[in-house]
Amino acid sequence: SMQAMNKTRHIMEKGGTHFSNAFSTTPMCCPSRSSILTGKYVHNHHTYTNNENCSSPSWQAHHEPHTFAVHLNNSGYRTAYFGKYLNEYNGSYVPPGWKEWVALVKNSRFYNYTLCRNGVREKHSSDYPKDYLTDIITNDSISYFRMSKKMYPHRPVMMVLSHVAPHGPEDSAPQYSSAFPNASQHITPSYNYAPNPDKHWILRYTGPMKPVHMQFTNMLQRRRMQTLLSVDDSVEKVYNMLVETGELDNTYLIYTSDHGYHIGQFGLVKGKSMPYEFDIRVPFYVRGPNVEQGAINPHIVLNIDLAPTLLDMAGVDIPVEMDGKSILKLLDTDRPVNRFQLNKKGKTWRDSFLVERGKLPHKRADGKEMAQEENFLPKYQRVKDLCQKAEYQTSCQQPGQKWQCVEDPTGKLRLYKCKGMASLYAPRMQALMASGGSQLSPTSNSDSCDCSDVGFKTSVLKKKRLLTKKSSSVSSYSEMKSSKTVSRKRWARSVSFELDGDLYAVDLEQGYRPLGSRNSSWARDRRRGSGNEEDNEEFSGMGVTAKPTTSNKLTPPAALKVTYRCSILMNDTVKCDGGLYKSLQAWKDHKLHIEHEIETLQTKIKNLREVKGHLKKVRPEECQCDTPSYLLKNKETFRLNAGRMHSLRMPSKQKSQWLQKEQKRRKKLRKFLKRLQNNDTCSMPGLTCFTHDNHHWQTAPFWTMGPFCACTSANNNTYWCLRTINDTHNFLFCEFATGFLEYFDLNTDPYQLINAVSTLDRNALNSMHQQLMDLRGCKGHKQCNPEKGGKERNYFSEYR
């Protein structure tokens, strides 16, 4: 972006110092801006996204009263803010610490926006001379500075000019609408580098861009650079004003951004929030008293360093809770008198920092961390990734192995739990999965404890023989039950599916058993034949075929009806009725119907998981056959009373959490219904999508290639990364909440094309993981800034 700003580069590069390694610790608007204001990492100010806690009541109560503006205002500075503040700022108040306040309400706009001018709302329309936001920010800030120096000549001034550009909607000034006709700065070696099977789930999920997406990236880059030309003019006007007022040599100027941006990199059409260089690197220039001119400084500078640096420039004490550090000691040795230190040591500075996005994993009742609950990576992809690990590739033969991967007849990999002695029969399971053989075994159903089988619990085979001996009595007992009762005869861990009107359950140990049938003859046939089937059957493990309603053998039907218009054939192809292939409206309607079904099922699954979690907490104890009955009765009475007491004393915290979940669920439902009303089919599970058409941009140059959809980001992509730059090393190491790891050596791979985590030995991984964990929990500049001198940098030699 700096290539478009010749005036700014002339003023700031030639007249000041350029920090070539400047970064944002969280590459998103509101989290990064909150870090700039407070000098804290995201995990300490808790603004995790552009929505959650962004300008929230919690932010206003706990963090806004401690921004750098409050400290400077208390020390006598005339503070002023112009432009974009925080994405969710509603304009209903003036934050503490600001004498002059001209802030944009909500998110970025160039026209048709609302400002909060010192507590009064001010609406603007689309007239360029009166309303173009970049020029409004520039002109108001210059007027305020001149007025302050005229009325209070001895009072220092601190101003923030927070320009919207180059943020969307990328509306340039009319005089610049024809600039950069062949903009190509975004086309780097990582441009449209896809697919990326070695990177995290979003980049494995998305693929290369389509031609329309590539044309869009070219237009987007051009429009973004056009908007920056007005910012370039702004920097020049402020500089000229300082020269005219005689304040240039007495003023520090800092130019930077809140995050980077990607346009086509790795096939991602546009956006931010990724941990890679194109999103976390930012420009950073400083000009002012005793700042070396025309210098390039390679030390790492972060967005959390801005707040302590501004306080240090003003001679104000830096609060110990700020995570960043003042960069003044990196600029020049000729420091003001009040900043000299006796016995001055050689310069030491951080060579590593934290890049973080998202919240910590959820805590379970037992205190252990859980992975994110809302990671909508497709299940088949998650299973495929897990099955690549060595511990899942053996048939329940490794000590302590809990899961194994088995390929079903359709070629899909599935995870099955290793239960009891199931590992002894895993080869048999795989053979049966391939052949499709399965038999049914009867089960008894009783609500009371049956202690006669205690001796058989440790052996599946012994349990099998017991069932065989009792088959006739069980069969006669089951005949006394109604057909509705059959649906309750389900193993504790089973999954169900429907084939041609019949519902089946798959138990992970004992194979298929019917849950219930719309055709009652199937249930009768099954009861009549159950007694004879057992005598001729060996232990089968698990089966994969289903039983028809008129036969004693289980064979799948010719097609599995999925929706009322589409079915899946046995050759794993989808067949729909002819109308869907001929009518576009019918196609759209049925696609919306399917998306609605998916949304409904996802909500149902989430609710079922909550119920499952509740059931785990209230699980009754095993039957104590040797315990006197009167003790069991007393214990049950106590448990019942405790449960009632617990329900009556529901903590207010739990109520508020439930209300928040309910609000999110309703909000999600409203958005979905709105999409249905607008006939919006641009969606993909787990990803955030955007649509673009010929009417999106209201200023030249215009988009004329029609509508398209792109899904290239996600709201739940949580990660923590260690970024290190020193004399010998230059790498990025990332741990994602899903457990995925990434490592890039930027000395050999500057565009981060290849995930080289497989080249690291375990000692290197453990060392980086430990350093990352230390940074994830750090508080204050002492913990958050591990300083390394020249000799200490040999510590990283083990990473090679």
Side-chain angles (χ1 to χ4, degrees):
S1 63
M2 295 306 299
Q3 297 178 21
M5 307 181 68
N6 294 326
K7 300 171 184 176
T8 301
R9 291 175 60 188
H10 177 79
I11 293 169
M12 301 302 296
E13 278 187 2
K14 293 186 177 181
T17 294
H18 173 211
F19 284 88
S20 57
N21 287 315
F23 298 90
S24 172
T25 56
T26 300
M28 295 183 72
C29 300
C30 199
S32 180
R33 288 169 176 265
S34 301
S35 292
I36 290 173
L37 289 164
T38 61
K40 295 180 179 180
Y41 274 117
V42 163
H43 65 262
N44 288 328
H45 63 64
H46 310 301
T47 302
Y48 295 104
T49 68
N50 287 337
N51 306 106
E52 188 169 357
N53 203 35
C54 180
S55 191
S56 68
S58 174
W59 159 265
Q60 296 172 30
H62 299 107
H63 301 290
E64 216 165 32
H66 305 288
T67 64
F68 66 80
V70 174
H71 298 289
L72 291 177
N73 181 59
N74 293 340
S75 68
Y77 269 77
R78 289 182 55 79
T79 55
Y81 196 100
F82 303 93
K84 179 180 176 180
Y85 183 52
L86 300 174
N87 296 47
E88 294 297 316
Y89 172 69
N90 59 19
S92 62
Y93 70 102
V94 176
W98 300 100
K99 293 287 186 182
E100 182 74 6
W101 183 252
V102 186
L104 180 67
V105 176
K106 294 291 184 177
N107 208 353
S108 304
R109 293 279 190 89
F110 292 86
Y111 296 108
N112 301 308
Y113 55 85
T114 299
L115 294 177
C116 174
R117 187 179 292 273
N118 298 318
V120 179
R121 283 175 168 262
E122 179 181 289
K123 291 189 176 182
H124 287 257
S125 60
S126 56
D127 185 7
Y128 169 73
K130 299 178 181 178
D131 303 308
Y132 191 63
L133 184 56
T134 305
D135 294 346
I136 295 290
I137 293 171
T138 304
N139 297 334
D140 284 359
S141 61
I142 290 175
S143 298
Y144 178 77
F145 189 90
R146 291 183 182 275
M147 182 270 296
S148 294
K149 284 301 170 184
K150 184 176 181 180
M151 297 182 64
Y152 308 96
H154 302 295
R155 291 274 300 276
V157 178
M158 191 282 298
M159 298 192 308
V160 175
L161 282 69
S162 181
H163 289 290
V164 168
H167 199 287
E170 301 96 10
D171 292 323
S172 67
Q175 64 269 27
Y176 296 130
S177 61
S178 60
F180 308 112
N182 301 310
S184 60
Q185 294 84 353
H186 61 297
I187 301 179
T188 63
S190 61
Y191 179 79
N192 207 26
Y193 186 86
N196 292 273
D198 61 332
K199 297 183 177 66
H200 69 273
W201 71 274
I202 293 180
L203 296 180
R204 294 198 307 273
Y205 200 6
T206 57
M209 293 184 290
K210 298 177 181 178
V212 66
H213 296 148
M214 299 175 72
Q215 289 292 333
F216 172 77
T217 61
N218 297 337
M219 175 72 79
L220 180 63
Q221 175 68 14
R222 181 185 182 190
R223 289 181 61 98
R224 286 172 64 87
M225 294 182 70
Q226 288 173 353
T227 64
L228 288 174
L229 292 177
S230 295
V231 179
D232 201 34
D233 292 341
S234 175
V235 174
E236 184 184 46
K237 290 178 181 178
V238 172
Y239 173 81
N240 291 336
M241 179 267 297
L242 292 173
V243 173
E244 293 172 9
T245 57
E247 298 289 345
L248 178 64
D249 295 334
N250 192 36
T251 303
Y252 285 104
L253 285 86
I254 300 176
Y255 179 90
T256 189
S257 179
D258 51 358
H259 54 74
Y261 205 75
H262 57 258
I263 302 178
Q265 280 66 40
F266 296 145
L268 303 174
V269 178
K270 69 170 185 175
K272 42 193 178 282
S273 78
M274 295 292 172
Y276 309 119
E277 292 292 283
F278 44 71
D279 281 359
I280 63 175
R281 274 193 179 269
V282 295
F284 201 103
Y285 299 88
V286 180
R287 173 177 180 143
N290 302 311
V291 175
E292 186 177 359
Q293 297 184 359
I296 298 178
N297 194 312
H299 288 89
I300 294 174
V301 174
L302 308 175
N303 56 345
I304 59 174
D305 295 332
L306 271 171
T309 298
L310 291 171
L311 297 183
D312 197 11
M313 288 174 172
V316 177
D317 292 336
I318 302 172
V320 293
E321 63 268 17
M322 285 189 175
D323 302 330
K325 294 187 67 175
S326 170
I327 67 171
L328 267 189
K329 73 174 184 178
L330 302 177
L331 292 170
D332 200 302
T333 55
D334 295 332
R335 307 282 296 283
V337 175
N338 64 330
R339 297 191 182 94
F340 273 119
Q341 295 180 357
L342 298 175
N343 302 323
K344 187 175 181 180
K345 298 179 181 179
K347 288 181 181 179
T348 58
W349 194 252
R350 69 166 75 92
D351 63 0
S352 298
F353 64 94
L354 173 68
V355 182
E356 60 182 335
R357 186 201 175 206
K359 296 193 295 185
L360 291 167
H362 301 291
K363 293 283 186 179
R364 298 195 311 201
D366 56 6
K368 296 181 180 179
E369 288 186 351
M370 291 176 60
Q372 283 183 301
E373 295 176 351
E374 296 185 355
N375 194 318
F376 288 109
L377 177 65
K379 185 177 179 180
Y380 75 88
Q381 185 66 55
R382 282 181 279 149
V383 173
K384 184 178 179 182
D385 292 343
L386 285 172
C387 288
Q388 293 176 357
K389 297 183 179 181
E391 61 262 33
Y392 296 111
Q393 293 178 0
T394 58
S395 303
C396 296
Q397 296 171 355
Q398 300 182 55
Q401 183 176 349
K402 295 182 179 180
W403 299 89
Q404 67 160 337
C405 284
V406 179
E407 187 173 341
D408 67 12
T410 64
K412 291 183 179 180
L413 291 169
R414 300 189 182 277
L415 278 177
Y416 290 96
K417 193 167 187 178
C418 300
K419 295 171 66 178
M421 297 181 66
S423 61
L424 296 176
Y425 311 98
R428 172 69 172 160
M429 291 179 185
Q430 292 181 348
L432 287 171
M433 288 295 288
S435 64
S438 176
Q439 299 293 332
L440 299 177
S441 58
T443 59
S444 62
N445 185 18
S446 175
D447 294 332
S448 61
C449 287
D450 184 3
C451 297
S452 61
D453 298 346
V454 172
F456 296 92
K457 287 184 178 179
T458 59
S459 172
V460 177
L461 287 178
K462 290 183 178 180
K463 184 178 181 181
K464 175 74 186 78
R465 295 192 186 108
L466 176 68
L467 291 174
T468 304
K469 293 177 181 178
K470 294 187 176 181
S471 59
S472 59
S473 62
V474 172
S475 178
S476 61
Y477 172 77
S478 62
E479 288 180 9
M480 298 171 62
K481 296 285 184 177
S482 66
S483 60
K484 293 182 180 180
T485 315
V486 181
S487 64
R488 289 161 42 201
K489 297 179 183 178
R490 175 181 291 156
W491 294 101
R493 297 188 179 275
S494 63
V495 294
S496 61
F497 66 97
E498 183 177 333
L499 283 177
D500 201 24
D502 293 326
L503 196 61
Y504 302 91
V506 188
D507 183 77
L508 300 187
E509 270 188 46
Q510 298 286 27
Y512 280 97
R513 195 167 53 78
L515 289 171
S517 175
R518 296 175 187 172
N519 190 335
S520 59
S521 65
W522 190 94
R524 289 194 298 270
D525 291 341
R526 182 235 176 264
R527 288 196 295 268
R528 293 192 191 105
S530 61
N532 298 326
E533 288 174 9
E534 279 296 333
D535 297 330
N536 301 323
E537 180 198 0
E538 296 180 2
F539 178 76
S540 62
M542 62 180 86
V544 294
T545 57
K547 183 170 184 174
T549 59
T550 60
S551 175
N552 290 337
K553 291 185 179 181
L554 289 174
T555 56
L560 173 62
K561 196 169 185 64
V562 179
T563 69
Y564 64 94
R565 303 192 72 167
C566 295
S567 301
I568 298 179
L569 306 181
M570 291 309 296
N571 60 359
D572 209 20
T573 59
V574 178
K575 179 69 175 177
C576 301
D577 62 50
L580 289 183
Y581 302 112
K582 297 178 181 178
S583 169
L584 177 61
Q585 188 59 44
W587 180 88
K588 287 182 178 179
D589 292 343
H590 199 61
K591 187 171 183 291
L592 287 174
H593 165 74
I594 292 172
E595 289 174 348
H596 175 69
E597 289 292 314
I598 291 173
E599 193 87 15
T600 303
L601 289 172
Q602 285 177 344
T603 303
K604 187 174 181 179
I605 288 171
K606 186 176 180 181
N607 293 336
L608 288 172
R609 283 175 176 166
E610 291 183 3
V611 174
K612 180 181 176 182
H614 168 74
L615 291 177
K616 283 184 177 180
K617 294 178 182 178
V618 298
R619 176 184 176 180
E621 295 184 2
E622 296 290 339
C623 295
Q624 303 293 330
C625 297
D626 298 330
T627 306
S629 58
Y630 68 90
L631 290 178
L632 289 175
K633 289 181 180 178
N634 292 338
K635 196 171 185 179
E636 289 297 328
T637 304
F638 174 77
R639 185 186 294 123
L640 181 62
N641 292 336
R644 289 174 179 170
M645 292 168 62
H646 177 74
S647 63
L648 291 174
R649 295 197 311 260
M650 184 177 181
S652 59
K653 185 177 181 181
Q654 290 185 7
K655 289 182 180 178
S656 62
Q657 289 176 349
W658 182 86
L659 287 173
Q660 289 177 358
K661 286 184 178 180
E662 184 65 16
Q663 288 174 357
K664 287 182 179 180
R665 187 188 67 80
R666 291 181 179 179
K667 183 178 180 181
K668 188 176 181 181
L669 182 60
R670 285 197 301 270
K671 286 184 177 180
F672 174 72
L673 293 175
K674 187 176 181 181
R675 288 207 314 268
L676 289 179
Q677 292 173 357
N678 297 334
N679 200 25
D680 180 9
T681 59
C682 181
S683 64
M684 190 176 290
L687 295 182
T688 55
C689 307
F690 73 92
T691 56
H692 195 90
D693 55 34
N694 294 353
H695 306 290
H696 182 80
W697 283 323
Q698 300 298 314
T699 59
F702 297 104
W703 174 256
T704 59
M705 297 187 65
F708 68 85
C709 167
C711 305
T712 58
S713 185
N715 289 329
N716 61 332
N717 188 31
T718 298
Y719 58 75
W720 302 269
C721 300
L722 176 69
R723 183 72 174 94
T724 294
I725 303 174
N726 56 39
D727 293 341
T728 57
H729 291 78
N730 185 7
F731 67 81
L732 175 75
F733 172 72
C734 292
E735 296 181 356
F736 290 80
T738 57
F740 195 78
L741 302 179
E742 290 185 353
Y743 172 84
F744 301 94
D745 183 352
L746 278 77
N747 284 333
T748 59
D749 183 18
Y751 294 97
Q752 300 165 287
L753 304 181
I754 306 298
N755 180 10
V757 71
S758 60
T759 65
L760 299 174
D761 59 37
R762 185 153 299 279
N763 290 334
L765 282 172
N766 290 340
S767 297
M768 287 187 282
H769 171 73
Q770 186 56 53
Q771 190 173 359
L772 188 56
M773 292 300 293
D774 292 341
L775 287 173
R776 281 176 56 178
C778 74
K779 289 186 178 181
H781 70 274
K782 291 185 178 180
Q783 294 182 12
C784 295
N785 296 279
E787 296 179 344
K788 303 292 179 184
K791 293 182 180 180
E792 292 169 296
R793 286 173 184 159
N794 292 329
Y795 169 79
F796 293 96
S797 61
E798 62 185 292
Y799 295 167
R800 277 196 159 176

